[in-house]
Amino acid sequence: KFSDVPTGFAGFFTIPTAGIAQILAFFALVELAWMPASKYDGDYGVGYFGTEVEDPEEKTRKLNVELNNGRAAMLGIFGNMVAEGVTGQ
């Protein structure tokens, strides 16, 4: 039951090994086969909200904005994990 799973980071350790393997296999499928990045800049070739950005400068700017937002989100999640680890809450 979901009510038996602890909240926060401690919940990760209640996931069965097979479940973690499934999650990692899905991530690998997405990253390597389904939507591989053509270059480091994160251009997956699917456009911007379904439309292709024609101007190279605008496309570069939007890709950089997306990468920076992703980096900021990763730092935010990491900060939450560290705070939970330190305080136990």
Side-chain angles (χ1 to χ4, degrees):
K1 288 183 358 182
F2 285 116
S3 60
D4 296 337
V5 177
T7 60
F9 193 63
F12 177 77
F13 298 106
T14 62
I15 301 173
T17 307
I20 293 177
Q22 286 177 336
I23 292 168
L24 293 176
F26 178 72
F27 287 166
L29 173 71
V30 170
E31 289 290 331
L32 300 174
W34 184 21
M35 292 182 72
S38 58
K39 298 179 292 240
Y40 172 73
D41 64 7
D43 184 6
Y44 290 97
V46 293
Y48 182 74
F49 289 110
T51 61
E52 186 62 34
V53 179
E54 300 296 331
D55 183 22
E57 288 181 16
E58 181 183 5
K59 184 175 185 176
T60 300
R61 186 187 68 78
K62 287 185 177 188
L63 288 171
N64 285 332
V65 165
E66 184 66 25
L67 285 173
N68 288 332
N69 286 341
R71 290 174 181 143
M74 286 186 280
L75 285 174
I77 291 296
F78 183 68
N80 285 339
M81 291 170 59
V82 168
E84 180 184 338
V86 169
T87 64
Q89 296 180 356

